[in-house]
Amino acid sequence: MPQIKFTDTAIAKLKADKTTWFSDPSVKGLRLCVTPGGVKTWYVVRWDATAQKTRQVKLGPWAAKGTHTVWAKNQIGKIVLDITDGRARTRSERAEERAGVPTLREAFERDLTTRTTRGAAYGGPIHNKTTQGYRATFDKYLSTWADLKVDALDHAAVQRLLDDLADRAPFAAHKLNLVVGFSLRRAERMINGRLPYLVPKLDRNPKMQKRAMAEDVTWKERWACIEQVENEHIRLCWMLRWHTGMRGAMLRGLTWSDVDLDAGTVVVRHGLKHAGTDKRVIALSDRAWAMVRRLSEIRFDDSDWVFPSRRIVGRERGPLDALDRLMIREGVHLNEGDLRHLWSEATQDVDTREMVLRWLCGQRLTDGDTQALGHYGKVPVERQRRVANAISRVIDIRCEASPSNVVEMGSKRA
C-alpha cells in the first residue's frame, strides 16, 4: 500500500491507473481510495475486538474545496468510538441483529413464562391471579405496540400513556409500569445487549394504603350489617373472614375434605400468596369452629364446597363467587376488604409472636419466619388455637356479639 503525507495539496495531485489505496504513517487508521476515474474516498480502518474482525468504515469522498483532509483526520476518533460501542455494523449484520430483536409481546410472554415456571429456590411461581392481572394490563394498554420490535417502540408515546394514566388511575399505572419494565428488561436479555432507549416509567409509585374506614362507626354496627345478610352461607363467610383474617379466596376454595370438624382445623390450598406455596393446616378459634359446625348442618347434598353457590351452572354447583353478590349492598359501614384489616387491628390487643399471626391468616412466611417457628416450619394446633381464641375474644368484645348468635340466627334463616 503506497504511503503519502495526507494534505489537500498532495491529494489533489494523486492519480491512479487502477484502484489504489493510500495511507499516511503519521495518521493511524485513515486510508484514501483513489479510482482510475479520479474519485477519492476516505475510509477509517480499525480492529473490532467485539466482533473479532477488522472493520472498514466509509467517511465520504475527498473534496477539493476547503480543508477536507483536516475534517477526515478529525473523524477518526468518532469512528473508533462507534466501532467500540457496536454502532459500526454492516447492512447484513444489522439485518441479522434485527431478526433477533423480539417484539414487545414476545418479550412480555418470555418473562411471564419465566415467572410462572420458576422453582422454589427462586421464590416459586407467581400466583395465577397475578398472571391474569399482568396479561389483562398488557392487552388493555399495550396492544397497539404489541407486534412492534422493541427497538422500534414509540417510547415517548408509552411514557405519555403512563403519565396520563397516573392522574386518572394511579394503581393501574403502577401495574402498567411493572409490565413495561420487566418486558423491556427481558428484551435486553434476549439480545444480550443494551437497546438505545429510555425505559418509560412513572415519576413515583402510588402509596399502597390501608382501606379507609369511618372512625365514627363502631364494630357493633359493622357486625350488625353482617347479621342482616339473608344468605346464610354468605353471612357465615363474612363472619369467618373477620374471625380468621383469611382472604376470601382461601375460604371460598374450601371443600369438606379440607375440614376436620373433630379437630377444628382446615387445610388451606387456595388463595395463598404464591402458587407454589404448600398447603397449610390452620386451627380455628372456638368461635370460628362453631361457625363451621353450623355450615356442616346446612351443607348441600349435591356439593362438596363449604360455601356453595345457590346457582347451578350446567350440572354442577360451584362455590360462592362474585356473581353471588358477596358485597353487603344495603349497609354503608363495611365492605369485604375491610375484614382482614379489622382482624389485624384485633391482633394488636393480643400478646403473641408475629409469625403465628401470619400463619393463621394465610400470609406467606419467609425463610426466616419458618426457621423461627421451629417444628419444621409448622405451628402446633394447640398454639394456633390459643392465639386464635384470644383474637376472637377481642372481636366479640368490641362487637358486643354473643357466640351463640350465629347458631341461633342460622336456625331461624336456614
Side-chain angles (χ1 to χ4, degrees), residues 107-128:
F108 168 76
E109 293 293 346
R110 175 71 67 85
D111 198 83
L112 203 59
T113 299
T114 301
R115 292 168 179 264
T116 55
T117 59
R118 64 190 179 193
Y122 301 97
I126 59 176
H127 198 275
N128 288 337

Side-chain angles (χ1 to χ4, degrees), residues 86-197:
R87 292 191 293 270
R89 296 284 189 267
T90 63
R91 182 177 299 176
S92 61
E93 287 175 333
R94 287 195 294 270
E96 184 178 350
E97 288 177 354
R98 287 283 295 158
V101 175
T103 64
L104 185 59
R105 186 182 298 279
E106 290 171 344
F108 168 76
E109 293 293 346
R110 175 71 67 85
D111 198 83
L112 203 59
T113 299
T114 301
R115 292 168 179 264
T116 55
T117 59
R118 64 190 179 193
Y122 301 97
I126 59 176
H127 198 275
N128 288 337
K129 190 174 181 180
T130 304
T131 303
Q132 293 169 4
Y134 284 152
R135 199 179 298 282
T137 298
F138 185 92
D139 291 339
K140 183 174 182 179
Y141 297 109
L142 299 176
S143 57
T144 302
W145 304 287
D147 297 324
L148 290 178
K149 298 279 189 179
V150 290
D151 60 350
L153 184 65
D154 188 347
H155 295 84
V158 178
Q159 184 65 65
R160 288 193 297 272
L161 171 63
L162 276 171
D163 293 340
D164 177 64
L165 199 60
D167 296 330
R168 296 185 291 104
F171 294 107
H174 173 65
K175 183 169 289 187
L176 177 60
N177 185 36
L178 294 176
V179 171
V180 171
F182 73 63
S183 297
L184 295 182
R185 286 193 296 271
R186 176 59 59 178
E188 291 186 332
R189 293 177 186 175
M190 291 172 70
I191 65 172
N192 193 26
R194 298 285 296 179
L195 288 168
Y197 54 63

Side-chain angles (χ1 to χ4, degrees), residues 42-293:
W42 291 112
Y43 288 86
V44 173
V45 180
R46 278 298 173 94
W47 174 256
D48 187 343
T50 303
Q52 289 294 295
K53 66 179 183 180
T54 299
R55 291 196 178 276
Q56 182 170 276
V57 180
K58 181 179 178 180
L59 288 181
W62 173 81
K65 296 181 179 179
T67 55
H68 204 270
T69 302
V70 174
W71 170 84
K73 292 178 180 179
N74 291 336
Q75 294 300 306
I76 296 175
K78 177 182 179 301
I79 299 302
V80 170
L81 184 60
D82 287 344
I83 293 174
T84 303
D85 291 344
R87 292 191 293 270
R89 296 284 189 267
T90 63
R91 182 177 299 176
S92 61
E93 287 175 333
R94 287 195 294 270
E96 184 178 350
E97 288 177 354
R98 287 283 295 158
V101 175
T103 64
L104 185 59
R105 186 182 298 279
E106 290 171 344
F108 168 76
E109 293 293 346
R110 175 71 67 85
D111 198 83
L112 203 59
T113 299
T114 301
R115 292 168 179 264
T116 55
T117 59
R118 64 190 179 193
Y122 301 97
I126 59 176
H127 198 275
N128 288 337
K129 190 174 181 180
T130 304
T131 303
Q132 293 169 4
Y134 284 152
R135 199 179 298 282
T137 298
F138 185 92
D139 291 339
K140 183 174 182 179
Y141 297 109
L142 299 176
S143 57
T144 302
W145 304 287
D147 297 324
L148 290 178
K149 298 279 189 179
V150 290
D151 60 350
L153 184 65
D154 188 347
H155 295 84
V158 178
Q159 184 65 65
R160 288 193 297 272
L161 171 63
L162 276 171
D163 293 340
D164 177 64
L165 199 60
D167 296 330
R168 296 185 291 104
F171 294 107
H174 173 65
K175 183 169 289 187
L176 177 60
N177 185 36
L178 294 176
V179 171
V180 171
F182 73 63
S183 297
L184 295 182
R185 286 193 296 271
R186 176 59 59 178
E188 291 186 332
R189 293 177 186 175
M190 291 172 70
I191 65 172
N192 193 26
R194 298 285 296 179
L195 288 168
Y197 54 63
L198 293 175
V199 177
K201 60 181 179 180
L202 292 174
D203 290 335
R204 62 183 67 87
N205 290 326
K207 293 182 178 179
M208 306 300 288
Q209 298 178 341
K210 287 187 176 181
R211 194 182 303 271
M213 292 178 284
E215 296 294 335
D216 58 341
V217 180
T218 66
W219 283 34
K220 181 180 180 179
E221 290 173 315
R222 292 187 173 109
W223 186 263
C225 286
I226 297 177
E227 289 181 319
Q228 299 307 312
V229 176
E230 184 176 354
N231 184 319
E232 190 172 4
H233 285 103
I234 296 178
R235 184 171 72 251
L236 288 172
C237 184
W238 275 74
M239 291 178 171
L240 275 171
R241 284 200 66 183
W242 199 338
H243 275 269
T244 62
M246 295 185 192
R247 298 180 181 87
M250 295 178 182
L251 290 175
R252 298 195 299 272
L254 290 176
T255 62
W256 285 109
S257 59
D258 299 323
V259 178
D260 189 334
L261 282 175
D262 296 329
T265 60
V266 295
V267 178
V268 175
R269 307 175 190 271
H270 306 278
L272 293 172
K273 189 66 175 178
H274 279 240
T277 306
D278 293 333
K279 62 184 180 182
R280 183 178 299 180
V281 178
I282 296 178
L284 301 170
S285 67
D286 293 338
R287 183 80 154 94
W289 196 351
M291 297 178 193
V292 174
R293 286 196 295 268

Side-chain angles (χ1 to χ4, degrees), residues 209-213 219 241-242 245 335-348:
Q209 298 178 341
K210 287 187 176 181
R211 194 182 303 271
M213 292 178 284
W219 283 34
R241 284 200 66 183
W242 199 338
N335 58 51
E336 191 180 23
D338 292 336
L339 299 175
R340 282 171 62 84
H341 298 299
L342 294 173
W343 180 88
S344 178
E345 186 176 336
T347 65
Q348 297 173 11

Side-chain angles (χ1 to χ4, degrees), residues 360-404:
L360 287 173
C361 67
Q363 289 185 1
R364 184 188 179 205
L365 299 179
T366 64
D367 292 338
D369 292 338
T370 303
Q371 294 172 7
L373 284 171
H375 307 285
Y376 301 99
K378 308 296 182 184
V379 184
V381 170
E382 297 77 11
R383 182 180 173 191
Q384 293 186 54
R385 182 107 56 214
R386 184 168 59 252
V387 176
N389 279 333
I391 298 171
S392 281
R393 280 194 295 272
V394 172
I395 295 172
D396 281 336
I397 291 172
R398 294 192 60 177
C399 290
E400 300 180 31
S402 170
S404 62

